[in-house]
C-alpha cells in the first residue's frame, strides 16, 4: 500500500522562468469518484489509479496501462476530462514551523541536507482555465503539517474537497 501525503495551494503568481522547468502534459478522466478510480495519460505513459478517502493523506495505487486500454476506458469515463500542464519545480530550501525545525537536524542552518521536495504546478486547460493549483508531496504527515507555504502560493486548499480533480470532473459546466 502506498500513502499519498500531499498539500494543495492556490497560486497568486507564477514563478519566474516557468518554461525552464520540466513540463508534463496530462489528461485524466474518472471512472468513479467514490472510491476514486482514475485513468491518466502523462505524456506517453498511461495509468489506472485507485485513491482512498482522505484529504491530506490517503491510499493510492497506480497500475500501468497501455495506450489502447487507456482510450478504451476513456470512453467509459464519467464527467469532465481534465487536461493540464504540470510543471515540476524543486523547492531548494523548504521552510518549516519553528517547532519542527528544532526537532529535525536538516532544518538547521548548519545542515546542508534538506528534504527532496518539489512543487507540482498544475496549469489547467479549458474548461477549468485559469485554475492553477500547486501540490507538494511529503514523506510523512508531520512534515506536511509543518511545511510553510512558499511566498508565491496564495491559499492552502488541502482540506477543501472542491479542489480535488475527481470533484472537478463532476462539475456541471
Amino acid at each position: 500500500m502506498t500513502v499519498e501525503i500531499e498539500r494543495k495551494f492556490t497560486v497568486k503568481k507564477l514563478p519566474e522562468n516557468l518554461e525552464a522547468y520540466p513540463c508534463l502534459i496530462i489528461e485524466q478522466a474518472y471512472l468513479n469518484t467514490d472510491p476514486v478510480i482514475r485513468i491518466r495519460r502523462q505524456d506517453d505513459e498511461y495509468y489506472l489509479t485507485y485513491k482512498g478517502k482522505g484529504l491530506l493523506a490517503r491510499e493510492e495505487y497506480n497500475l500501468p496501462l497501455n495506450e489502447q486500454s487507456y482510450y478504451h476506458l476513456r470512453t467509459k469515463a464519467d464527467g469532465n476530462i481534465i487536461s493540464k500542464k504540470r510543471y515540476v519545480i524543486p523547492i531548494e530550501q523548504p521552510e518549516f514551523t519553528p517547532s519542527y525545525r528544532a526537532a529535525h537536524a536538516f532544518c538547521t542552518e548548519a545542515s546542508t541536507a534538506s528534504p527532496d521536495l518539489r512543487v507540482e504546478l498544475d496549469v489547467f486547460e479549458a474548461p477549468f482555465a485559469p485554475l492553477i493549483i500547486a501540490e507538494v508531496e511529503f514523506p510523512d504527515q508531520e512534515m506536511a503539517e509543518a511545511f510553510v507555504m512558499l511566498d508565491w502560493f496564495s491559499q492552502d486548499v488541502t482540506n477543501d474537497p472542491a479542489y480535488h480533480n475527481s470533484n472537478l470532473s463532476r462539475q456541471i459546466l
Side-chain angles (χ1 to χ4, degrees), residues 10-70:
T10 56
V11 174
K12 61 183 163 190
K13 66 175 181 162
L14 292 174
E16 294 182 21
N17 302 319
L18 189 59
E19 65 282 347
Y21 298 105
C23 179
L24 304 166
I25 305 300
I26 295 174
E27 177 185 85
Q28 60 194 42
Y30 291 81
L31 302 173
N32 201 51
T33 57
D34 188 15
V36 171
I37 300 175
R38 174 189 77 199
I39 55 169
R40 173 183 278 177
R41 177 179 53 83
Q42 182 172 290
D43 291 337
D44 294 326
E45 296 179 345
Y46 305 89
Y47 301 95
L48 172 76
T49 301
Y50 164 86
K51 290 189 176 214
K53 292 191 181 293
L55 296 171
L56 174 64
R58 61 187 179 160
E59 291 177 272
E60 180 179 85
Y61 301 94
N62 286 308
L63 300 169
L65 289 175
N66 61 31
E67 182 178 7
Q68 182 180 2
S69 296
Y70 172 82

Side-chain angles (χ1 to χ4, degrees), residues 57-120:
R58 61 187 179 160
E59 291 177 272
E60 180 179 85
Y61 301 94
N62 286 308
L63 300 169
L65 289 175
N66 61 31
E67 182 178 7
Q68 182 180 2
S69 296
Y70 172 82
Y71 285 106
H72 173 74
L73 290 170
R74 188 175 178 261
T75 65
K76 299 172 184 330
D78 295 329
N80 303 303
I81 294 175
I82 295 173
S83 297
K84 57 190 176 180
K85 290 182 179 176
R86 173 170 285 172
Y87 295 90
V88 181
I89 305 167
I91 302 175
E92 299 295 330
Q93 297 193 333
E95 301 260 341
F96 299 95
T97 60
S99 60
Y100 186 84
R101 282 197 317 265
H104 295 81
F106 66 81
C107 293
T108 66
E109 289 186 26
S111 173
T112 57
S114 66
D116 183 23
L117 299 179
R118 61 190 184 171
V119 175
E120 293 179 337

